[in-house]
Amino acid sequence: MLPVRKPAYQLRSWICNSCRQGLADSSSKPRRRRYATASTFQLKEAQELPSTPARTRFAPSPTGYLHLGSLRTALYNYLLAKATGGQFLLRIEDTDSKRTIAGAEERICEDLDWAGLQWDEGPKVGGPHGPYRQSERTFLYKKHAAELLESHHAYRCFCTQDRLDSLARQQTKLGLPANYDRTCANIHKNESDERSLRGESHVIRLQAPAQYARYMDLVYGMVGSKKGAATSNRSRNGFEDPILVKSDGLPTYHLANVVDDHYMEITHVIRGMEWMSSTPKHLQLYKAFGWQPPAFAHVGLLQDSNRQKMSKRNLTMDLETIKREGIFPEALMNFAALLGWSHGMGSDVLPRQELIDNFNLKFTKGNVVVQFPKLYYFQTQYFRKYQREDKDEYHLIVDRAVVEAKPLVETMDPDVLAGRTLRDFVKGLLRIDTNMTYTTPIAFIERNKYFFSPKPGHSAQPKLFDVEVEIPRQELVLIAAAARRLEEVQAHDWLASHLRECVVLIKDDLAKSENVFAEGLWSLRGIRYIDKILHRWLRWAIVNGHQGPSMVGTMEVFGRDVVLQRLKSAEAALLSEESLLESKNE
C-alpha cells in the first residue's frame, strides 16, 4: 500500500473554500516553475531608454495629409529623441511624383508645427545630413543600387509588365503568392549592363536569401521562427525579390528608406505594424551594405470600436478635421501618446514635458481601439487648466467661441449686450460653464444657444425637474413675489456669490411665510421643495426653462437689468393669466 501523502500546508478553519481547494491542489501537484527566456531578458534590456542620445525621424509622403495614425508615429519618435537629449528629423519621401499632392508638404509642416512637434533637422530648418527631400537625394540611391548590382545582392529585371501580370494570374489560380520566378536573375552581368545602356526598360530587384534572419523588435522581441519559416522568402513558385529601383530610375521605399536612415545616422525607428513584414528586407539591405541597422519598434494599428482598421480617409482620423473642430494640440498629443503606450503615473493627463520626462519604449502589443470620448475628456481637462491659469490658449478659445456665436446675435435679446461686447459676454459664459463638460467651441455654443435667444415669451407654466406636472398657481404667485428680493442686490454686487446669498434669504422668507396656504405647503413638503420650485421659477422666468449652468451664474452673466426685467415680465404674465382665470370662474 502506498503511503498517504500529507498536505504541504496546514489548513486552518478560517481559510475560504476556494483557497482551501487551491492549497489542496498545490500540495498534491508539484508546481511547474517558469523561467524567463534569454529573449525576454534581451527585450527588457532593449526597451530601456538608450544611454546615448537617440536620433529618430518621421518620414511622411506628400501623397496625402497627416492623420491620427501618422501623427502618433511622429509623436513617439519625437518623444524618444527628446527623452534622451537626441534629435528628431523630418524627411519628405517624395519620390512618387505621380501621386504627390501639390501643397501637401507645406501642410504636413504646418500640422507638425501646430502639434508642437518641432523637428531639429529637415525642410525649412536644414541640418548637416541634408538634403531632407528624397527627390533631391537620387544620386545616393543610384550609387548604392550600383553597389548592390556589383556585389550580386541585386539584379536587373527586364521582364515586361504583361509577362509579370500573366505570371501573377497563373500563381493566383494555383492559390500561390504572387512571387517572381527569377527569370532575369541569371542574366550575365555584361549582358545586363549592355541592355541597360541600350535603354531597355528594367527594374532592379533585391536578390533575397532563401530565408531572412530573425531580428529583435522592441515591442515583440525576437521576430521570426528559429527554423526561418516565419520569415521565409522562398515558396514553390519562386522568390519575392522586392523591387528596389523602379523603371523610371527612382527608388522604392525599401532602398531609399535604408540609405537615408544610414546617412542620417538614425538610431531608432518607431513605425506602424504594417511595416513589420518589410523589416527583414530592410535588414537584408543593411547586411548587404555592411551597415549597422537602427533598432526597430512596431506599434499596433489603430482600430475603430468594431475592431476594424481605421482608414486614414475617415474624417475622425483626419488632422485637418480635428484642428477645425477646435481640439487643443496638447489634448490631442496626450490622447495620441496613450494609443499603444503605457505609463506608471497616477493620472493620464500628461502635458508635453511630462510625456517627455516619463517616456519609455514599453509599447502595447497588438492593435489599439481608438476611444474618442477619451479625447474629449482630455479636452475638458486642458480647458480647465488653460482657464485657471489664464493662458493664451484660453483667449484663443474665447475668440473661436465668439466666431461661432456671431450668427446668433441678430436674433438675440438686444438688452443682453447693452454696454458690453459679444466677447465679454462669451467670456463670462465660459466662466460659468465650468460645471458642464467643455469639448469644442461649436459644442459649447450649441449647448448654450439659449443665451442668445430672443426675450422669453413666458407662454407656458414652469414644471418641476423630476415630475411632469404643472406647479400650482398659488405656489408660483408666492415664489414670484418672494423673488423680488433680488432687486436689493445692487449692480456693483451683482456677482454669483452675492446672488447665492440672496437666494438663500428668499428661501428663508418663503419658509417663514405667514400665508395660510404657504404654511401648509412648506410644512408638508419641506425646504428642499421650496429650493426646487424657486430655482425652477427663476430658470423659467430668465431663460425660458432651459437647463444649463447654475442659476446664480446665469443671472450674473445676463446682468442685473436683464434679469430683473425678465422676472417682472414673467410675474406680470403669471398674474395676468391668474386674473383671466378668476374672471372666467365668476
Side-chain angles (χ1 to χ4, degrees):
M1 177 182 273
L2 293 172
V4 177
R5 184 173 181 180
K6 294 182 178 181
Y9 299 91
Q10 182 66 39
L11 301 182
R12 300 180 185 273
S13 59
W14 48 265
I15 298 179
C16 72
N17 289 333
S18 296
C19 293
R20 186 188 300 273
Q21 184 61 45
L23 289 172
D25 291 344
S26 66
S27 64
S28 59
K29 298 177 183 178
R31 291 188 177 183
R32 183 178 179 182
R33 180 174 290 181
R34 293 186 178 182
Y35 296 93
T37 62
S39 62
T40 303
F41 286 120
Q42 285 179 304
L43 178 59
K44 287 185 176 180
E45 185 178 349
Q47 287 178 335
E48 297 296 327
L49 286 182
S51 57
T52 55
R55 283 179 61 83
T56 64
R57 48 76 169 174
F58 176 54
S61 169
T63 55
Y65 305 114
L66 293 190
H67 52 84
L68 184 58
S70 55
L71 189 69
R72 181 190 62 157
T73 299
L75 174 63
Y76 285 158
N77 283 282
Y78 171 87
L79 291 175
L80 176 57
K82 298 306 169 185
T84 58
Q87 296 82 41
F88 171 63
L89 283 68
L90 175 62
R91 185 173 73 224
I92 303 298
E93 301 193 340
D94 59 347
T95 54
D96 192 347
S97 56
K98 292 181 181 178
R99 294 175 57 227
T100 294
I101 299 173
E105 179 185 329
E106 289 74 15
R107 201 167 111 180
I108 288 170
C109 292
E110 289 172 5
D111 287 345
L112 289 174
D113 193 50
W114 171 85
L117 303 182
Q118 183 56 52
W119 52 100
D120 301 295
E121 297 178 27
K124 298 188 177 183
V125 299
H129 299 84
Y132 294 92
R133 295 181 185 86
Q134 285 188 340
S135 59
E136 300 170 4
R137 301 171 64 85
T138 53
F139 66 96
L140 266 179
Y141 312 135
K142 290 178 181 178
K143 171 188 173 185
H144 288 290
E147 286 182 12
L148 291 173
L149 290 171
E150 193 66 30
S151 63
H152 303 291
H153 286 100
Y155 61 92
R156 294 186 184 94
C157 174
F158 297 93
C159 292
T160 64
Q161 191 60 49
D162 288 341
R163 181 186 184 279
L164 294 175
D165 290 342
S166 175
L167 180 64
R169 284 193 297 270
Q170 292 174 18
Q171 293 169 340
T172 301
K173 287 181 181 178
L174 296 172
L176 299 173
N179 284 342
Y180 181 58
D181 59 3
R182 283 191 173 174
T183 296
C184 297
N186 296 318
I187 297 176
H188 193 276
K189 183 179 182 302
N190 291 341
E191 180 187 345
S192 175
D193 291 346
E194 189 175 319
R195 292 172 70 176
S196 174
L197 286 172
R198 288 203 305 265
E200 187 172 345
S201 179
H202 66 275
V203 299
I204 297 178
R205 293 180 180 270
L206 172 68
Q207 184 148 341
Q211 64 183 48
Y212 291 114
R214 302 173 76 211
Y215 71 94
M216 171 62 70
D217 184 272
L218 298 182
V219 179
Y220 293 91
M222 293 303 296
V223 175
S225 168
K226 290 182 179 179
K227 297 180 181 179
T231 50
S232 177
N233 175 51
R234 185 174 184 174
S235 64
R236 282 192 296 154
N237 59 315
F239 291 77
E240 183 182 2
D241 285 5
I243 295 174
L244 302 179
V245 179
K246 296 175 287 185
S247 58
D248 59 5
L250 292 175
T252 62
Y253 173 80
H254 301 303
L255 177 62
N257 159 71
V258 167
V259 171
D260 288 342
D261 281 351
H262 170 72
Y263 278 96
M264 294 181 183
E265 300 179 5
I266 301 302
T267 62
H268 292 75
V269 173
I270 304 174
R271 57 189 181 184
M273 205 165 67
E274 67 269 30
W275 294 108
M276 208 165 183
S277 60
S278 298
T279 304
K281 305 177 184 67
H282 299 165
L283 290 172
Q284 183 64 26
L285 282 169
Y286 279 104
K287 183 178 179 181
F289 287 128
W291 296 340
Q292 177 68 32
F296 289 94
H298 293 91
V299 294
L301 303 179
L302 300 184
Q303 296 181 322
D304 60 22
S305 56
N306 296 319
R307 294 196 171 276
Q308 299 297 312
K309 181 182 176 182
M310 294 193 76
S311 169
K312 58 186 177 182
R313 294 175 180 83
N314 187 324
L315 285 180
T316 56
M317 291 280 286
D318 179 58
L319 188 58
E320 187 62 26
T321 301
I322 293 172
K323 287 168 59 179
R324 197 162 49 242
E325 193 177 0
I327 299 297
F328 308 134
E330 206 166 11
L332 183 61
M333 293 300 97
N334 198 156
F335 174 67
L338 299 184
L339 295 174
W341 174 74
S342 57
H343 61 89
M345 304 297 289
S347 170
D348 277 348
V349 180
L350 300 171
R352 186 181 316 279
Q353 192 56 49
E354 289 188 37
L355 286 173
I356 293 171
D357 294 341
N358 294 281
F359 189 71
N360 56 45
L361 293 170
K362 296 177 182 177
F363 298 108
T364 304
K365 290 184 179 180
N367 296 332
V368 182
V369 175
V370 179
Q371 303 285 357
F372 280 103
K374 186 78 170 182
L375 172 59
Y376 295 116
Y377 163 78
F378 286 126
Q379 185 78 347
T380 300
Q381 301 307 309
Y382 282 100
F383 165 73
R384 291 173 180 171
K385 178 177 180 287
Y386 298 152
Q387 186 182 52
R388 185 172 59 251
E389 299 174 0
D390 196 33
K391 290 201 153 198
D392 291 342
E393 290 87 345
Y394 175 62
H395 296 285
L396 290 175
I397 296 167
V398 176
D399 293 338
R400 285 288 305 273
V402 168
V403 171
E404 298 297 331
K406 273 185 178 178
L408 305 174
V409 173
E410 292 181 6
T411 57
M412 74 183 293
D413 180 356
D415 293 337
V416 172
L417 294 182
R420 60 177 164 179
T421 64
L422 175 61
R423 193 178 194 281
D424 289 336
F425 181 65
V426 169
K427 191 173 181 180
L429 190 52
L430 277 164
R431 188 180 67 254
I432 67 167
D433 193 53
T434 52
N435 289 333
M436 309 300 284
T437 304
Y438 176 89
T439 53
T440 66
I442 297 172
F444 165 74
I445 293 299
E446 182 63 32
R447 184 173 67 245
N448 293 292
K449 189 183 287 186
Y450 63 89
F451 278 86
F452 302 88
S453 300
K455 293 180 181 180
H458 301 128
S459 58
Q461 284 193 32
K463 298 179 181 180
L464 287 174
F465 282 116
D466 54 350
V467 288
E468 289 298 322
V469 295
E470 292 186 352
I471 302 170
R473 293 181 180 278
Q474 300 95 321
E475 297 180 24
L476 288 178
V477 171
L478 290 174
I479 293 289
R484 293 179 204 154
R485 186 162 186 171
L486 286 167
E487 297 175 8
E488 297 176 9
V489 182
Q490 299 304 307
H492 60 272
D493 288 330
W494 196 263
L495 302 170
S497 56
H498 294 293
L499 293 169
R500 188 176 291 106
E501 293 172 0
C502 187
V503 168
V504 170
L505 294 175
I506 293 172
K507 287 190 292 185
D508 289 343
D509 290 346
L510 288 168
K512 297 172 184 176
S513 174
E514 295 181 358
N515 182 288
V516 175
F517 174 78
E519 286 180 354
L521 175 70
W522 309 149
S523 61
L524 181 65
R525 300 190 180 180
I527 193 69
R528 290 183 64 184
Y529 180 75
I530 298 174
D531 180 73
K532 183 177 290 187
I533 61 173
L534 171 60
H535 278 85
R536 194 62 180 127
W537 163 259
L538 293 173
R539 194 167 289 280
W540 177 73
I542 298 169
V543 291
N544 219 18
H546 290 286
Q547 297 187 37
S550 71
M551 206 57 239
V552 292
T554 298
M555 289 192 290
E556 178 186 336
V557 168
F558 271 119
R560 185 176 187 272
D561 293 344
V562 170
V563 169
L564 296 182
Q565 187 274 329
R566 290 188 178 188
L567 285 172
K568 288 177 183 178
S569 173
E571 185 177 8
L574 178 66
L575 293 175
S576 175
E577 193 173 347
E578 184 75 12
S579 299
L580 184 62
L581 287 173
E582 287 178 359
S583 63
K584 283 184 178 180
N585 291 334
E586 292 176 358

